[in-house]
Amino acid sequence: MADEVIGIVGAGIVGLAIGREVTLRRPGTRVVVLEKEDRVAVHQTGRNSGVVHAGLYYRPGSLKARLCTRGKGMLREYCADRGLPYDECGKLVVAVDEDDVARLDGIHARADTNAVPGLRRVGPDGIRDIEPYAAGLAALHSPHTAITDYTRIAEAFAEDIVAAGGEIRFHSPVTAIEETGDAVHVTAGGEIVRVDGLVVAGGLMTDRLARLAGDRSDPRITPFRGEYMLLRPEKAHMVRGLVYPVPDPRYPFLGVHFTRRVSGEVEVGPNAVLAFSREGYKFSDVRPGDLAECLSWPGFWAMGFRHWRTGIQEMHGSLSRRAYLRPARRYVPGIGPGDVVPGGAGVRAQALDRRGNLVDDFRISRMGRVTAVRNAPSPAATSSMAIAEHVMDVVDGRSAG
């Protein structure tokens, strides 16, 4: 429609990818992105490790598996077209004990089903050929796993929206959403914005925003802070690409690993500790309302009861550099506490259901003229362009979500 206006809440990479997809799919439609911060990519996107995932771990047939595969290819082409960094440095998933070796078989089978290209299994000598300072019994090598700069990609998406006649409104926190018969009225930054349809991609705040539109409270976002260390520059040569552990299904998070950035820096991490604020990037960042909301959710206590030992270990690692590095040194033994310095931190917007289960797959919900991205954990940045296609299919009635 020539006069149609579509609103997007959230100027992270997913929200901006959706806004860009609107301009491609509905030429002439005006896109208005509402963002509470003063620039794009302030939170999860701007604090992302930069990995472009190949799709090794995800359950075949899931949205994650399908959208990661398509999204990776779209992202690679977009970066090439826009001159953005995209480095296929490769990833090793390293097994350091017999339990890991057994789980590696399952990952290999999933990756084959997900058509991950170039994947091969290597032994100890093969590990050293790829990563000379790494050690393990066996590993899967994914040569096409890549790294990029998601902030720059988000900025490019924003430029595409503006070039198509859209706008990005900063300093515009959304405080109310009301649907009338033929429109949605969004109160943002003290003004009422009338749009024909609204997509909520609010990351850490997306459950609250969805509830404003009449969506249910389940699942609830529970914020987990991930803290990183950086290898000292003189040690950065010890990791050429990405060195990951074999995921343990008993635990909710992946564990500390090594990630080369497009800047040349090498990150170690992240751990996963409960954040006392939805945007709590430091231990001292506490918002009583956020904390009370988290502690009042039954799912938080159910998850805590199930994984309390892991929680204690993660907190210990947060307080002790030696404890933090202990699991990482299983994969690159030559790196010790003196070889790292504190890095940045991010907060993961993890959806948690009422029974304490971490919602694993992407989840999209629809309430009349409002569509909400209720859960978009990793690999959401990798999948962002494909998520945008899928969300617009939901908006257009081609998909159930």
Side-chain angles (χ1 to χ4, degrees):
M1 283 183 237
D3 298 325
E4 184 182 42
V5 180
I6 296 295
I8 309 290
V9 180
I13 195 168
V14 172
L16 293 168
I18 295 168
R20 178 180 178 274
E21 179 66 19
V22 173
T23 68
L24 297 174
R25 191 174 295 207
R26 300 182 179 182
T29 293
R30 189 164 68 90
V31 171
V32 179
V33 180
L34 303 170
E35 169 57 50
K36 69 184 180 67
E37 305 294 353
D38 62 356
R39 62 192 187 281
V40 306
V42 170
H43 295 292
Q44 291 185 110
T45 301
R47 295 171 178 270
N48 192 292
S49 61
V51 177
V52 183
H53 294 279
L56 275 72
Y57 309 123
Y58 314 124
R59 178 174 55 82
S62 65
L63 277 178
K64 275 189 176 184
R66 292 191 287 112
L67 300 185
C68 181
T69 298
R70 174 155 177 74
K72 179 181 184 294
M74 297 175 75
L75 203 67
R76 182 179 62 246
E77 292 178 9
Y78 186 81
C79 287
D81 182 61
R82 297 299 294 266
L84 297 170
Y86 190 95
D87 178 8
E88 290 189 342
C89 62
K91 174 165 78 173
L92 273 180
V93 181
V94 181
V96 295
D97 58 35
E98 293 300 333
D99 288 341
D100 281 352
V101 172
R103 286 194 292 270
L104 209 58
D105 293 333
I107 294 172
H108 201 167
R110 278 193 173 190
D112 284 344
T113 303
N114 292 338
V116 175
L119 193 69
R120 65 189 180 100
R121 185 161 176 155
V122 298
D125 291 341
I127 291 172
R128 285 189 293 272
D129 286 342
I130 299 163
E131 290 283 357
Y133 295 92
L137 300 179
L140 290 179
H141 182 224
S142 172
H144 298 293
T145 296
I147 51 177
T148 188
D149 185 331
Y150 284 118
T151 296
R152 291 181 61 184
I153 293 172
E155 290 168 347
F157 287 169
E159 291 169 2
D160 293 342
I161 292 169
V162 173
E167 62 176 314
I168 318 293
R169 295 190 184 182
F170 299 111
H171 305 290
S172 298
V174 171
T175 55
I177 298 172
E178 182 181 2
E179 183 176 352
T180 62
D182 61 351
V184 181
H185 293 89
V186 186
T187 303
E191 299 182 7
I192 296 178
V193 182
R194 183 194 181 280
V195 297
D196 297 286
L198 183 71
V199 179
V200 174
L204 289 156
M205 304 297 177
T206 201
D207 59 334
R208 294 177 180 174
L209 293 163
R211 291 200 301 273
L212 291 178
D215 204 3
R216 61 182 188 172
S217 60
D218 190 353
R220 179 78 57 85
I221 295 298
T222 301
F224 289 93
R225 185 174 64 255
E227 300 158 330
Y228 290 90
M229 295 285 180
L230 287 175
L231 289 190
R232 294 185 182 277
E234 63 271 20
K235 296 289 185 176
H237 69 280
M238 295 180 69
V239 178
R240 293 176 172 176
L242 314 174
V243 180
Y244 275 52
V246 177
D248 189 332
R250 294 174 298 176
Y251 303 124
F253 296 111
L254 179 61
V256 172
H257 46 277
F258 295 86
T259 305
R260 178 166 287 277
R261 304 296 302 266
V262 292
S263 64
E265 294 178 317
V266 175
E267 289 180 334
V268 188
N271 59 358
V273 296
L274 180 68
F276 301 146
S277 164
R278 291 224 181 178
E279 296 166 0
Y281 300 110
K282 302 190 298 288
F283 185 81
S284 58
D285 290 338
V286 180
R287 287 197 176 184
D290 288 358
L291 185 57
E293 185 179 38
C294 177
L295 297 179
S296 67
W297 183 239
F300 171 78
W301 295 103
M303 183 202 66
F305 179 78
R306 204 175 298 150
H307 298 295
W308 64 271
R309 288 185 179 86
T310 303
I312 291 173
Q313 291 169 359
E314 293 291 300
M315 186 60 72
H316 186 204
S318 181
L319 299 173
S320 164
R321 188 176 301 185
R322 188 173 298 277
Y324 183 102
L325 281 176
R326 190 174 297 122
R329 296 189 67 192
R330 301 178 74 197
Y331 306 95
V332 185
I335 292 174
D339 299 323
V340 298
V341 296
V347 177
R348 174 188 176 113
Q350 176 61 58
L352 189 66
D353 71 19
R354 186 172 290 274
R355 293 174 295 178
N357 300 310
L358 276 69
V359 179
D360 182 60
D361 208 0
F362 301 143
R363 184 174 292 187
I364 317 295
S365 60
R366 182 84 185 271
M367 300 78 65
R369 292 176 176 268
V370 181
T371 304
V373 181
R374 288 298 300 263
N375 190 49
S378 179
T382 300
S383 311
S384 56
M385 299 177 80
I387 291 173
E389 288 184 332
H390 179 74
V391 167
M392 289 308 298
D393 285 344
V394 172
V395 171
D396 293 339
R398 300 177 188 175
S399 175

